[in-house]
Amino acid sequence: EPEVTQTPSHQVTQMGQEVILRCVPISNHLYFYWYRQILGQKVEFLVSFYNNEISEKSEIFDDQFSVERPDGSNFTLKIRSTKLEDSAMYFCATSDSYNEQFFGPGTRLTVL
Amino acid sequence: AQTVTQSQPEMSVQEAETVTLSCTYDTSESDYYLFWYKQPPSRQMILVIRQEAYKQQNATENRFSVNFQKAAKSFSLKISDSQLGDAAMYFCAYRSPPNFGNEKLTFGTGTRLTIIP
């Protein structure tokens, strides 16, 4: 069964460093999303991406965040200068339409 | 903006018994989708069941069923014959009507379900 994959599974970084989280969508999916879950809290929407541009972004998704599909397969989330409060689980989700979103296993980001 | 409320932070049930998790939501839209996701300790998000608002019939997936009350904006999940593997965090989620397929999911705060052997 096709699945969404994410790398790395766990990233530890120093405050102020840049991190790139990677996602490989299911091959025929065209709609991509990033969500964040701070430990013990609910899952929050960050950004949606379609046709090589951002469709919608939340207030969390400020200028420190960016997304792109650099090679037509990977879908990446970049945080330019990490803060302590960026520590969270980051989930990539993809969809082929307005039906179910399939979630990846997540990347746990720890900012020290 | 849509909001999703799960008023039960924790629930427990005896193995083989039935449990119902509650969810309410607020929206001004008439067409939308509702979902229940399961998050086990691995933290993977797994879709359990979904309901289209235009469908009056409640969705069912094996031991999982929903009670969708559109007028009351209520969407509860019933788990029958509870199994140890059902222990997880359960999130209710709302999705807006189709609009170029890029609608975000809005999640509730979750209910932690414990299965008692």
Side-chain angles (χ1 to χ4, degrees), chain A residues 8-40:
Chain A
S9 58
H10 190 192
Q11 174 90 48
V12 181
T13 190
Q14 294 290 328
M15 187 170 57
Q17 295 296 305
E18 174 182 286
V19 295
I20 298 176
L21 310 183
R22 292 182 169 81
C23 169
V24 178
I26 295 172
S27 62
N28 62 334
H29 286 191
L30 301 175
Y31 306 95
F32 314 114
Y33 310 81
W34 283 103
Y35 293 86
R36 180 182 83 174
Q37 185 184 31
I38 295 172
L39 186 64

Side-chain angles (χ1 to χ4, degrees), chain A residues 43-96:
Chain A
V43 179
E44 300 174 290
F45 168 76
L46 290 178
V47 65
S48 58
F49 189 86
Y50 170 71
N51 200 24
N52 284 320
E53 59 183 30
I54 291 174
S55 306
E56 185 178 359
K57 59 184 180 179
S58 72
E59 58 191 23
I60 302 169
F61 194 88
D62 60 22
D63 292 343
Q64 293 298 312
F65 292 88
S66 62
V67 290
E68 65 175 355
R69 287 198 80 195
D71 55 10
S73 60
N74 290 293
F75 176 51
T76 63
L77 174 69
K78 181 192 292 186
I79 309 175
R80 290 188 181 80
S81 179
T82 51
K83 307 170 191 170
L84 295 176
E85 54 265 37
D86 292 328
S87 293
M89 196 78 164
Y90 289 81
F91 292 102
C92 172
T94 75
S95 173
D96 63 350

Side-chain angles (χ1 to χ4, degrees), chain B residues 52-92:
Chain B
E52 292 88 342
Y54 65 86
K55 291 186 178 178
Q56 293 188 343
Q57 186 172 5
N58 289 323
T60 299
E61 288 287 343
N62 301 314
R63 298 182 295 107
F64 298 87
S65 62
V66 299
N67 183 5
F68 173 50
Q69 301 289 327
K70 190 172 184 180
K73 296 179 182 174
S74 171
F75 181 61
S76 60
L77 174 70
K78 185 171 81 171
I79 306 174
S80 304
D81 185 25
S82 299
Q83 300 176 0
L84 294 178
D86 296 333
M89 197 76 168
Y90 286 81
F91 290 98
C92 179

